[in-house]
Amino acid sequence: MPPSQPSTPREEHVRLGALVRTYRIKRKMSLRSLAQAVGASPSFISQFELGHSSASVGMLRRIADALSLTMADLFDENAAAAGLRIISQDRRPELPSGPGARKFLISQRPLQEVEVFTTELEPDAATGSAPYTHGDSQEVVMVLTGSVTLVLGDPGEEVRHELFKGDSTEFRTSVPHMIVNTGDEAAEVLFAISPPTPA
């Protein structure tokens, strides 16, 4: 059997475009939403997904960030078919978070059907400065240690729910929500979101 030939630039454009389209659809993002997230026009994203145009390294990086991917995910043709990988606790990827909080990714990239992460919250720290929304997915929350308050609902109509170690709940990510550590000790909370949504 003859050795496989390296892909041409045109073939690489087609492959990258198709991969981006696949993950955009998995994230339930519209062309317009992705375009706004990366600072491009919807027509450019459409042409890129069809393999009719290429993207700069900077644009590819912004696209990867918007889809919760890494640059390696875009260029590893076997990423989606990767086998079992075990990641020790001290090697979990840390994600951006606010003051007094640390967020660690549990599910492995590239994210597919579900995103799982933990957030460590110091006393008075929260997952955001105000209740927020992201997409319209199912979000499951479980308190691993400590106690927290779930703030849920539209501004002026928020309802607060006290959650203690072992307690869990679920809601749609389209409902404004926020987790606050109202206890005296650090708390750790597990989040599972399906399908993953843009940050």
Side-chain angles (χ1 to χ4, degrees), residues 57-120:
V57 172
M59 177 58 71
L60 286 174
R61 193 177 303 279
R62 292 195 293 275
I63 289 173
D65 288 344
L67 296 174
S68 299
L69 302 171
T70 66
M71 288 291 282
D73 294 331
L74 290 181
F75 289 95
D76 181 2
E77 297 185 34
N78 298 314
L84 174 68
R85 289 183 295 161
I86 297 175
I87 300 177
S88 60
Q89 182 174 358
D90 61 346
R91 293 180 63 85
R92 291 175 184 166
E94 186 166 359
L95 304 172
S97 56
R102 298 188 71 191
K103 183 176 177 181
F104 298 93
L105 185 65
I106 304 297
S107 48
Q108 297 175 16
R109 286 177 165 141
L111 300 177
Q112 297 189 50
E113 302 302 327
V114 65
E115 178 181 13
V116 181
F117 59 90
T118 61
T119 298
E120 298 173 0

Side-chain angles (χ1 to χ4, degrees), residues 10 12-18 20-21 24 31 34-35 40-55 63:
R10 165 65 178 163
E12 184 66 5
H13 295 164
V14 171
R15 186 192 69 78
L16 279 172
V20 165
R21 184 175 187 275
R24 177 177 63 77
L31 278 169
L34 180 57
S41 67
S43 61
F44 170 80
I45 297 298
S46 176
Q47 291 297 303
F48 174 71
E49 289 186 350
L50 293 172
H52 297 330
S53 63
S54 60
I63 289 173

